[in-house]
Amino acid sequence: MKIKRNIFFILLYFFTATILLFSAQTENTTRRFGIFIGSNNGGRERVMLRYAVTDAKSMINVFSEMGGIANKDSVLLVEPTIKEINNRIDAMHEQVLHAAGNNRRTEIVFYYSGHSDEDGLLLNREKYTYRELRDRINSIPSDMRIVILDSCASGAFTRLKGGEKTLPFLMDSSFSAEGYAFLTSSSINEVSQESDKIAASYFTHSLVSGLRGAADSVGDGRVTLNELYRFAYSETISRTETSLYGTQHPSYDIQINGTGDVVLTDINQTSAGIMFDENLTGRLSIRNSRDHLIAEITKSGRPMELGLEPGLYRITLQQGGDLLRTEVTLIEKKRILVTENNFTMINAEPTRSRGEENRHSLPKSNLYTFFFNAIYEPFPFPLIGFVNFGIGNHDILQLGFINWNTKNFSGVQAGFVNTTIGDFIGFQPGFVNTTTGKNFSGFQAGFVNTTTSKDFSGFQAGFINTVTGKDFSGFQAGFVNTIVGDVKGVQASFVNTSTDKIDGMQLGFVNVAPRGIKGYQLGFVNYTDSIEDGIPIGFISVVREGGYKAIEYSFSEFYTYNVEFKIGVEIFYSTIIAAYNQTNEFSYDNFALGFGIGSIIPIGEVFFFNPEANYLSSLFWKNDSINYLSFIPYFGINLGKFSILAGPSVAWAQSTYRKTEIPKPLFYLHSYDIDNYNKIIVAARAVLRLQL
């Protein structure tokens, strides 16, 4: 008996210890939150950036894939206002409090790419001061706060407390580090630079490469804060020391208590990866199937692994003056080893050094006439001719019947047909305007305007406007507007359509938003899957989810039978009315049709207030009719699908033909005769309504 009792207590001890150990592990898990901001527009006095939004998307992708931030805990803000940023910080504050209440360790990541000066972030025409931003970030009760600013003069953000540089971060790998880390792309008096070649800013490009594994100097498959800063600092300096604007020096302000460095990404979290053999050396460039540069690494004599998504990748290796290339296809849950034997030699493309005046390395010579112009970059003068063909990047002005650019264009193109294959910043007036680059910022005016740019920010005015990129931010004005992608802006035309959710307004005869809208629709016919923080206003407004549809029957002061169909949303719906007044003899004169609007305002869970305004017109055959304009403030009660409403009615009746007097109402409380052809009638109405 004693032995059994001892066995029981031993088992109880181990069971309790296991539970406590599991609880301790659960409590010590970390939940990470992120806000990622991209803003190309720094106001009228600042040049429009090309890659700030792209940088923010790259950062949120890498943290989602291998940085431990769940999709529900991160948000991407594109061209936000200060109010929108503060709202997201406040929401993060509440999320952190909730997680901390569940004994969870919390970390936050705040990333911004865009314009700034020595005082703060420049968001279009607003300035978000560093002091306000820093105070808001510091108010969040998180165990670790990481702020990354990729913008000009952002080093001022790290100087608010006047601290001096110390060793960047802690050196061991335990898990009790607490405090903050503020990283900026440049010092207080430096510009932050972006590059068309890498389609990103130098600093963020270095961060992304490092986070994917290039910064893992220890080789443990994890990238820490210390490793990332050292890698990004070295890469940014080496890439900018020969640039036009001079060397760019990333800066920091660190205050960490306890022991341990912060692990930012775990390469093992990705579903696929590339392992580079330790004997492989040189400069590696990795591009995906869309030719987007994913990472650049100077590979020394140690093994290295990058975490990537499944897909096709093209890897270029530069060793001195030699260029080698290979392609690998990554599949789910597989790591592929790449050695020097996998590469084959390729020919170097003809090129030139930045600022080099001699052009002997160009593949062809320029042709400049008044009829046909074929110009290779660089060409700092306007192109004026019947046909203008720009090979490479081009700026300033192209004026002709046909204007064509094979890469990026910044300036004005004016002609019958304007086409830009690369990124476009500027103004295109013409009959047909087309841009197919990654980013579009500017204005297109023509009969047909088309852009397949991934990001659109600007204005299109034409008969047909089409955007097939991922993001649209701006204004469309034309007969037909079509957007395939996310919309943040205004569509104004006869027909407006969008395949993705709209954040803004549609203004036209027919408005279609099959993925939903956050904003307003104003048109004769509106259709949307759902609507948030807005109202559809029109003759027929169909909202598939959360919409309002109902049929009702009533007996009014003028017509024996009234049938009404209501459609829209509860806060604002439209009504189509059909009425008939039964008499001894059948007559078309006794029919009436009409239109109305109304709003349902809940009073508790059962009762509601429902004001309506309706217009009704009788159908006479001799060009004369009687029009009724009524206002009814209903009060109703919900009975499931059915509801009963009652309220007073004030109607103005007018005869449009002086020989047709207004008939006597069927019932009324009071009647005011202005004359025989204008009357005001006060009555009461009761309605039975069925919600569909």
Side-chain angles (χ1 to χ4, degrees):
M1 193 70 180
K2 186 176 181 180
I3 295 175
K4 291 182 178 180
R5 188 165 56 249
N6 290 338
I7 292 173
F8 170 76
F9 282 117
I10 292 172
L11 292 175
L12 179 63
Y13 171 79
F14 279 109
F15 177 76
T16 304
T18 301
I19 294 297
L20 292 175
L21 179 61
F22 177 78
S23 300
Q25 290 175 345
T26 302
E27 291 175 359
N28 287 332
T29 57
T30 298
R31 185 174 176 186
R32 185 174 284 171
F33 304 90
I35 296 176
F36 300 85
I37 301 170
S39 181
N40 288 321
N41 190 350
R44 292 181 177 177
E45 297 180 357
R46 304 275 173 165
V47 64
M48 185 76 71
L49 297 176
R50 293 185 177 182
Y51 305 113
V53 174
T54 305
D55 288 342
K57 292 178 180 179
S58 297
M59 288 292 286
I60 194 173
N61 287 340
V62 74
F63 271 101
S64 298
E65 293 170 20
M66 51 197 300
I69 302 183
N71 290 334
K72 65 178 181 179
D73 292 334
S74 67
V75 63
L76 174 67
L77 300 179
V78 177
E79 307 292 348
T81 62
I82 293 177
K83 181 179 179 181
E84 290 172 332
I85 295 175
N86 286 339
N87 287 342
R88 294 308 310 179
I89 294 177
D90 292 342
M92 178 186 282
H93 190 285
E94 294 301 318
Q95 288 178 306
V96 169
L97 285 176
H98 178 74
N102 294 329
N103 297 321
R104 299 285 297 276
R105 173 185 165 84
T106 60
E107 296 178 358
I108 65 171
V109 177
F110 181 94
Y111 171 88
Y112 169 81
S113 179
H115 279 288
S116 68
D117 60 15
E118 63 275 9
D119 298 319
L121 311 182
L122 302 176
L123 304 161
N124 199 344
R125 300 181 183 180
E126 297 182 311
K127 176 178 286 189
Y128 195 173
T129 65
Y130 293 133
R131 185 168 298 279
E132 180 185 356
L133 174 61
R134 187 157 181 161
D135 289 344
R136 278 189 171 269
I137 295 295
N138 284 336
S139 69
I140 299 177
S142 180
D143 296 291
M144 189 68 199
R145 300 179 296 279
I146 301 170
V147 177
I148 304 172
L149 303 182
D150 189 350
S151 55
C152 296
S154 54
F157 183 79
T158 66
R159 298 291 181 265
L160 292 181
K161 292 186 177 179
E164 296 181 357
K165 290 187 178 182
T166 59
L167 288 176
F169 306 105
L170 302 171
M171 296 301 176
D172 60 338
S173 57
S174 60
F175 198 66
S176 59
E178 296 181 356
Y180 65 78
F182 297 148
L183 310 184
T184 61
S185 60
S186 60
S187 65
I188 190 172
N189 56 356
E190 291 178 346
V191 297
S192 293
Q193 304 170 51
E194 58 180 14
S195 167
D196 290 331
K197 182 179 179 181
I198 62 176
S201 78
Y202 290 114
F203 182 63
T204 294
H205 181 67
S206 301
L207 291 176
V208 172
S209 297
L211 288 167
R212 289 202 172 275
D216 179 19
S217 59
V218 178
D220 61 355
R222 303 186 303 172
V223 176
T224 65
L225 202 53
N226 180 39
E227 291 174 322
L228 179 65
Y229 175 77
R230 287 184 296 180
F231 178 83
Y233 184 86
S234 175
E235 283 289 305
T236 303
I237 287 179
S238 66
R239 295 298 297 269
T240 59
E241 60 187 357
T242 59
S243 71
L244 178 65
Y245 295 99
T247 306
Q248 178 182 325
H249 298 82
S251 184
Y252 57 81
D253 180 18
I254 310 299
Q255 182 64 55
I256 298 180
N257 300 317
T259 59
D261 200 352
V262 178
V263 176
L264 294 179
T265 54
D266 187 345
I267 300 170
N268 295 320
Q269 287 188 12
T270 57
S271 58
I274 300 177
M275 296 185 296
F276 295 101
D277 183 68
E278 62 179 342
N279 296 321
L280 180 65
T281 60
R283 184 71 177 177
L284 291 165
S285 301
I286 298 97
R287 293 180 179 271
N288 62 14
S289 59
R290 299 186 300 275
D291 202 38
H292 179 67
L293 185 62
I294 301 297
E296 281 187 301
I297 311 158
T298 299
K299 174 72 170 56
S300 59
R302 63 177 180 84
M304 178 180 291
E305 182 178 352
L306 294 185
L308 300 168
E309 293 181 324
L312 176 67
Y313 293 89
R314 187 175 75 250
I315 307 172
T316 302
L317 173 63
Q318 182 178 356
Q319 294 178 325
D322 296 333
L323 286 178
L324 303 95
R325 182 166 293 168
T326 186
E327 290 187 352
V328 297
T329 300
L330 301 184
I331 59 177
E332 198 80 26
K333 299 180 181 179
K334 293 289 185 180
R335 262 39 179 188
I336 291 182
L337 177 64
V338 175
T339 68
E340 192 166 346
N341 295 331
N342 297 119
F343 289 86
T344 56
M345 188 77 70
I346 61 173
N347 294 324
E349 296 180 0
T351 185
R352 60 180 172 81
S353 301
R354 184 167 188 164
E356 183 182 359
E357 292 302 326
N358 108 42
R359 302 177 186 173
H360 295 298
S361 57
L362 288 173
K364 295 181 181 179
S365 60
N366 295 332
L367 177 64
Y368 189 64
T369 69
F370 286 106
F371 179 81
F372 181 82
N373 300 309
I375 304 300
Y376 294 82
E377 63 171 325
F379 189 78
F381 304 106
L383 292 181
I384 302 175
F386 188 79
V387 176
N388 299 310
F389 193 70
I391 298 125
N393 303 321
H394 187 59
D395 296 331
I396 305 177
L397 171 68
Q398 285 188 333
L399 179 63
F401 186 80
I402 297 176
N403 298 307
W404 189 283
N405 275 283
T406 63
K407 286 190 178 180
N408 304 326
F409 179 82
S410 178
V412 178
Q413 281 187 322
F416 186 81
V417 177
N418 300 310
T419 301
T420 299
I421 306 301
D423 297 338
F424 175 83
I425 298 177
F427 174 48
Q428 285 191 149
F431 187 81
V432 178
N433 300 309
T434 304
T435 62
T436 61
K438 191 172 184 181
N439 298 304
F440 175 96
S441 298
F443 175 47
Q444 287 189 144
F447 185 81
V448 178
N449 299 310
T450 302
T451 177
T452 58
S453 301
K454 187 176 180 181
D455 300 316
F456 175 94
S457 178
F459 178 69
Q460 283 186 321
F463 187 80
I464 299 175
N465 299 309
T466 303
V467 178
T468 59
K470 187 175 181 181
D471 299 312
F472 170 88
S473 178
F475 183 78
Q476 280 187 322
F479 187 80
V480 178
N481 293 322
T482 302
I483 297 177
V484 181
D486 298 330
V487 180
K488 186 177 181 181
V490 178
Q491 287 183 309
S493 73
F494 187 80
V495 178
N496 298 306
T497 63
S498 174
T499 61
D500 286 330
K501 189 170 182 178
I502 297 176
D503 186 355
M505 174 182 285
Q506 286 184 318
L507 176 63
F509 186 80
V510 177
N511 300 311
V512 179
R515 294 293 182 89
I517 183 171
K518 182 179 180 182
Y520 296 87
Q521 287 181 314
L522 179 60
F524 186 79
V525 177
N526 301 311
Y527 172 81
T528 182
D529 179 75
S530 61
I531 194 161
E532 178 185 353
D533 295 336
I535 300 173
I537 301 174
F539 182 75
I540 297 177
S541 297
V542 180
V543 181
R544 196 176 67 83
E545 292 186 8
Y548 182 74
K549 294 186 288 292
I551 296 177
E552 73 175 30
Y553 169 79
S554 66
F555 177 88
S556 69
E557 60 269 38
F558 295 107
Y559 291 94
T560 313
Y561 306 105
N562 294 267
V563 178
E564 302 182 7
F565 174 68
K566 304 178 185 299
I567 189 167
V569 292
E570 288 191 353
I571 193 65
F572 185 88
Y573 61 81
S574 56
T575 304
I576 300 172
I577 308 169
Y580 176 69
N581 187 19
Q582 185 178 6
T583 58
N584 294 330
E585 295 183 4
F586 175 82
S587 172
Y588 286 102
D589 296 350
N590 295 332
F591 283 95
L593 295 175
F595 172 79
I597 57 175
S599 178
I600 296 176
I601 303 171
I603 305 175
E605 295 183 359
V606 177
F607 299 98
F608 60 91
F609 176 57
N610 187 184
E612 282 193 350
N614 297 323
Y615 169 78
L616 204 62
S617 180
S618 62
L619 304 180
F620 285 138
W621 289 98
K622 298 179 180 179
N623 296 324
D624 54 340
S625 63
I626 298 177
N627 301 318
Y628 304 93
L629 182 63
S630 60
F631 175 73
I632 315 104
Y634 286 121
F635 289 89
I637 180 172
N638 284 317
L639 302 172
K641 288 288 185 180
F642 286 93
S643 56
I644 299 174
L645 302 88
S649 170
V650 179
W652 172 38
Q654 180 193 48
S655 174
T656 60
Y657 188 58
R658 290 298 178 178
K659 293 185 178 180
T660 302
E661 295 186 1
I662 297 172
K664 184 178 180 180
L666 300 177
F667 71 95
Y668 58 92
L669 300 177
H670 204 287
S671 178
Y672 300 91
D673 293 342
I674 300 175
D675 52 40
N676 291 333
Y677 312 103
N678 288 274
K679 292 184 179 182
I680 296 177
I681 297 94
V682 179
R685 291 192 189 181
V687 172
L688 178 64
R689 183 179 296 174
L690 170 64
Q691 186 171 342
L692 303 176

